[in-house]
Amino acid sequence: MSKLLIIIGLVVYLAILFIIATIAERRRHTEKSLLPKSLIYALSLAVYCTAWTFYGSIGNASKTGLGFLPVYLGPTIFMPLIGIVLIKIIKICKSQRITSIADFISSRYGKNISLGVIVSVFCILGIVPYIAIQLKAISATVNLLTQYADTQHTLFTDTTFYIAIGLAFFIILYGIKNIDTTERHTGVVTVIAFEAIIKLIAFLVIGIYICYFLFNNVTDIFSHAISAKNLKNYFVLHEKTSPISWFLISVVSGLAIILLPRQFQVGVVENTNEQHVKKAIWIFPLYLFLINLFVLPIAVAGLLYFPSGMDMDMLLLQFPLQNQSNILALIVFIGGFSAATGMVIVEVIALTTMISNNIIVPVLLSSRFMDSNKNSIGKIILNSRRIGVFILILLAYLFEKSVAEKNSLVSIGLISFAAVAQFAPAVILGIYWKMANRKAAVSSIIIGFSIWFYTLVLPSINNENVLLQSILDHGLFSIELLKPTALLGLNILDPISHGIFWSLLFNLVSFIFISLYTTANEEEKHQAILFVHADKEEDTDKSSIWKGITYLKDIQQVLNNFVGEQRTKLLLEGYASRHTISLVSEHEADARIVSFAERVLGGVIGSASARLMVSSVTKDEKISFYEVLDIVKESQQIIELNKELRKKSLELSKATNELSQLNDQLKSIDELKNEFLATVTHELRTPLTSIRALSEIVYDNPEMEEEQKQEYLQIIIKETEKLSHLITQVLNLEKYESGRQKIYPTSFDIKTLIEEIIESLQTLALEQKLEIKLNCPNSILLVHADKDLIRQVVYNLLSNAIKFSSSTIEIFIRSTLYDLEITVKDDGNGIDENSKHLLFDKFYQSKSNQLQKPVGSGLGLAICKKIIELHNGKIRVENNEGKGASFIFAIPLIH
Amino acid sequence: MKSKNTISLLFVTAILVILLNYPIIEIANKHQLIYGVPLLPIYIFAVWILSILILYFISNTHFNSKNKNE
């Protein structure tokens, strides 16, 4: 086939792609779309089927029979589950404006820059060879079609080189046109969907051609295979596909639907509506079903048709070429070409975004370079991405020329799958398990990749290096257990499953272990909650709490640099009007505006860089989890304090009550004191007046008769005695009332004491013609009390009785088991019932019922009462049945 | 996604894991032709197309109920 025809075909095809992309871009804002959007979404997922599918699975089937299937069965088996996970990831990415798998992982684990770098680097390592095999497919098919011997070509005669350059231009034109990576590449996605249709149609056409034109039908191929060449082992699974590798490869392929950068790009980033996923869960498996339908018959037909030993990867092209059908050959070529280019386009866009946002931008932001080029930063990033596209494609091209040409298509594809599968624990556990933390993610990804490299990459390197060979044959440091293809002596698995098994096992175990036994920082915890609760949390404005002062001006400036002035204005005004926030540029920015700006920036330069960027214009750092905790704690403490305060105030009001009661008491006491003072002064004045009057008379009348003088002086002396007696009593009473009076108890016979008192008062009684009778038991009555004080009490009572009695005074002493009761009974006028309770008050004198001048100070009974109370006893007065009153006091026998 | 749908999707996944893996596929792993086509490919592709039909119904019932809600 002439090279010209191929070039014309390619040019026409590429022109169609450009036209489709342009039309789709123009219609992006209208409802009119070339195909239903949900169908475009589902078809774009078919970017999964690369040249590796198109050519490679036939090559694979021609070697292993049904062994090629798990790569397509896996996505089918896990598609329902993938749908659930995908919807959650889409929700997270939309709210957080995440644009790549690296951004997703770094954002989940606290917007950590180093994690983003690690994931990006591993993605490049895992994916560039994969891009390379697409280029290899293109160059191999071109060479086959032109019958070109690929031994002597130079860079400039190599068609693949030009195709690679063309792809780079297409990607730059339609994939890197805008700095905001959340902006969807409608043109690219439509082209990918279109290419998906092309490769499926091409495959079905060639399948039908082989099965129904070259052969009679499918059953014809099978019966030939079984009878003629005994290929029946191709239709069953045998040792080459062990149950474990069948399962492991299907799992890894299922994971690849989410984790491959290109799948993440079309499945998550380019998704416009979550509902599209629902349709994709059956369209995508259907697509895989159709594209695999003829693989086995074609492979078997190839084995029947061609001599053994030829390159089975190119079987699809060999059939039409062998039969001189140039048009069919071109159709197959275009199909394979579309499979390869679709993959390259999306993968390069995804990787460029990843590298730019996770490696280049953080470096730019942290270097001084940015300060001097602040205003052109957007352009710089865009240009760096454009250069990134070329570098990536060039890397893949070089890899293809140096390594991939010597390797089969299949192994590199599966090794890439195994590479991205290392992100599975961090991504999938990360969105369902809050405890998953950064330390676990970093170490498990590094562990997984190390094992991946050691068990999968090393053995696939075709190199005669002595050291490498010795490691492959005898293990690292000649330790057999470290042999890359039989780690720890495990040798029952094929190399691919072996590597997948060990890398994922160590990855998963270390991830869970480290997550369980280390703690996350506040930023991680915050992100973890946002990710895990993504399906519940609708309001992302609460997602980020910015503390400190950020001026709207600064925010606008930052956004201007990255998304342009017009768009900034549009975005901010839109957001402000939706959330009724006022936009005055001199003012501090609302916290929600700051968060919103961070998310917008996240879409442009990745979330970790966006955080850096916003915090650079925020005057204070972000509020930390612990600060929030402190606030909560403080308010809790306030509540506690409040409770205590209420308790205290209750106590206080109680105390106030008591105090006011005390105050009342004090007031009455004060009144009593005033009364007391008034009485005392009155009592003092009476004798003083008479003393003064009498002494003045004596003084003024020197010629007074001696007898008269004597009489006056006697009265004066008497009055003085009275005065001093009163003062002594007042002082005494004061002593009792202040509590300074102590008692000094001794044991004595009360009878003797009373007899003594009677003795001393006998003369006074006789003067009044009174008789004192003592009634008491004959025995000795021992009392433990202060003898002098008791004497004072009895003396007082007896002298009172002498004052008021008319004929007899009787004293009764009675003792019970516990106390001693002494009664002094007179036969005077008795006590007025109404004033009975006042009798023991100070200065109470029974004036009312006695016309004569009161006798005594009026303190005697009050003092008696105090003394008896000091002895824990009681004193009372009773009116006798007949005449007079009885004063009775009782004191306990034992103190 | 409604929880009932989530569970039915998980259930389909579980069933497919069982049907399209050892030991179940070993039952069909025989040298036997059905209408001239080997048994194992027939079995696998039959389960495959059946699962697509089931997923088609699940996603459609969900769409319908969603529309009713709206």
Side-chain angles (χ1 to χ4, degrees), chain A residues 585-598:
Chain A
S585 59
E586 279 75 34
H587 284 186
E588 283 173 29
D590 189 284
R592 283 171 295 176
I593 287 275
V594 182
S595 301
F596 174 68
E598 193 200 340

Side-chain angles (χ1 to χ4, degrees), chain A residues 619-630:
Chain A
K619 298 288 176 284
D620 209 336
E621 85 237 67
K622 204 176 164 281
I623 191 161
S624 76
F625 181 73
Y626 291 105
E627 282 174 277
V628 177
L629 213 68
D630 281 346

Side-chain angles (χ1 to χ4, degrees), chain B residues 3 7-8 14 17 19 22 33 37 46 49 51 56 63-64 66:
Chain B
S3 65
I7 289 167
S8 53
V17 168
L19 288 182
Y22 286 91
L33 292 179
V37 183
I49 198 75
S51 72
Y56 170 79
F63 274 125
N64 292 342
K66 182 96 186 171

Side-chain angles (χ1 to χ4, degrees), chain A residues 854-884:
Chain A
V855 197
S857 61
L859 289 173
L861 282 175
I863 289 171
C864 286
K865 194 185 176 204
K866 291 286 167 202
I867 291 171
I868 296 303
E869 276 170 3
L870 268 178
H871 283 86
N872 293 325
K874 274 176 186 150
I875 186 161
R876 67 179 195 275
V877 63
E878 279 171 13
N879 275 322
N880 297 333
E881 282 182 15
K883 215 181 161 197

Side-chain angles (χ1 to χ4, degrees), chain A residues 446-473:
Chain A
I446 290 176
I447 289 170
F449 263 94
S450 309
I451 298 173
W452 166 80
F453 186 82
Y454 190 70
T455 58
L456 289 170
V457 179
L458 276 191
S460 67
I461 296 173
N462 264 337
N463 201 317
E464 300 302 320
N465 185 302
V466 182
L467 180 68
L468 182 68
Q469 281 309 315
S470 93
I471 291 175
L472 289 179
D473 294 341

Side-chain angles (χ1 to χ4, degrees), chain A residues 199-217:
Chain A
K199 66 192 174 200
L200 180 61
I201 290 174
F203 203 94
L204 291 175
V205 166
I206 190 68
I208 289 163
Y209 169 73
I210 293 167
C211 295
Y212 294 94
F213 291 88
L214 295 183
F215 289 81
N216 288 333
N217 51 41

Side-chain angles (χ1 to χ4, degrees), chain A residues 66 76-77 80-81 84 87 219 222 233 235-237 243 246-247 275 278 281-282 285-286 288-289 292-293, chain B residues 1 6 9-10 13 17 20-22 25 29-31 33 35-36 38 40 45 48 52 55-56 59 62-63:
Chain A
L66 287 168
T76 306
I77 292 170
L81 188 63
I84 297 167
I87 285 176
T219 51
F222 286 131
N233 271 349
F235 312 128
V236 291
L237 294 169
W246 179 274
F247 176 71
Q275 297 299 318
K278 314 253 163 69
I281 62 170
W282 67 270
L286 181 64
L288 294 176
F289 176 87
N292 279 291
L293 206 51
Chain B
M1 195 177 292
T6 309
L9 287 175
L10 288 174
T13 304
V17 168
L20 293 177
N21 263 295
Y22 286 91
I25 51 170
N29 197 9
K30 285 175 188 153
H31 296 289
L33 292 179
Y35 301 113
L40 188 57
F45 278 85
W48 198 335
I52 291 165
L55 289 174
Y56 170 79
S59 83
H62 181 67
F63 274 125

Side-chain angles (χ1 to χ4, degrees), chain A residues 562-773:
Chain A
F562 287 95
V563 299
E565 247 169 83
Q566 218 178 342
R567 209 166 126 73
T568 302
K569 210 173 156 216
L570 220 72
L571 281 169
L572 284 183
E573 278 171 3
Y575 186 82
S577 72
R578 272 200 305 282
H579 293 82
T580 56
I581 304 166
S582 79
L583 281 180
V584 183
S585 59
E586 279 75 34
H587 284 186
E588 283 173 29
D590 189 284
R592 283 171 295 176
I593 287 275
V594 182
S595 301
F596 174 68
E598 193 200 340
R599 288 202 304 281
V600 171
L601 278 180
V604 180
I605 55 175
S607 52
S609 309
R611 166 120 315 173
L612 261 181
M613 200 66 236
V614 172
S615 53
S616 76
V617 297
T618 301
K619 298 288 176 284
D620 209 336
E621 85 237 67
K622 204 176 164 281
I623 191 161
S624 76
F625 181 73
Y626 291 105
E627 282 174 277
V628 177
L629 213 68
D630 281 346
I631 293 169
V632 174
K633 261 190 204 157
E634 259 173 49
S635 63
Q636 232 160 13
Q637 276 171 347
I638 287 171
I639 292 169
E640 290 285 311
L641 277 178
N642 227 340
K643 263 188 209 164
E644 215 152 296
L645 215 65
R646 235 181 299 160
K647 224 161 79 185
K648 280 268 158 68
S649 86
L650 219 80
E651 278 170 27
L652 214 66
S653 76
K654 229 195 239 168
T656 318
N657 265 345
E658 274 171 34
L659 263 179
S660 78
Q661 269 175 11
L662 272 178
N663 198 28
D664 285 349
Q665 241 171 326
L666 268 178
K667 261 190 215 158
S668 67
I669 286 172
D670 191 48
E671 261 169 50
L672 275 178
K673 188 200 78 186
N674 284 344
E675 216 177 295
F676 174 73
L677 271 178
T679 326
V680 168
T681 32
H682 173 76
E683 291 299 322
L684 285 174
R685 187 172 288 154
T686 322
L688 263 180
T689 320
S690 60
I691 289 169
R692 187 175 172 169
L694 287 173
S695 26
E696 265 174 13
I697 293 169
V698 175
Y699 182 76
D700 290 341
N701 304 298
E703 302 93 23
M704 193 187 271
E705 281 174 32
E706 197 60 30
E707 207 175 313
Q708 186 84 25
K709 212 190 250 178
Q710 277 294 325
E711 191 187 338
Y712 281 5
L713 282 174
Q714 211 157 16
I715 295 171
I716 289 173
I717 290 167
K718 228 184 196 168
E719 288 298 313
T720 326
E721 267 172 8
K722 223 187 199 174
L723 251 181
S724 77
H725 177 69
L726 180 71
I727 289 167
T728 318
Q729 277 197 319
V730 167
L731 286 176
N732 261 347
L733 188 71
E734 196 272 334
K735 240 174 166 178
Y736 289 118
E737 296 218 310
S738 68
R740 276 187 292 121
Q741 176 70 44
K742 297 266 162 18
I743 54 171
Y744 302 99
T746 49
S747 289
F748 59 92
D749 182 18
I750 188 80
K751 215 168 99 184
T752 323
L753 180 76
I754 290 175
E755 278 168 354
E756 273 172 33
I757 297 164
I758 294 172
E759 186 77 41
S760 65
L761 286 169
Q762 200 66 52
T763 20
L764 200 63
L766 285 175
E767 267 174 30
Q768 309 256 341
K769 296 180 181 114
L770 295 174
E771 191 189 359
I772 302 173
K773 284 184 191 162

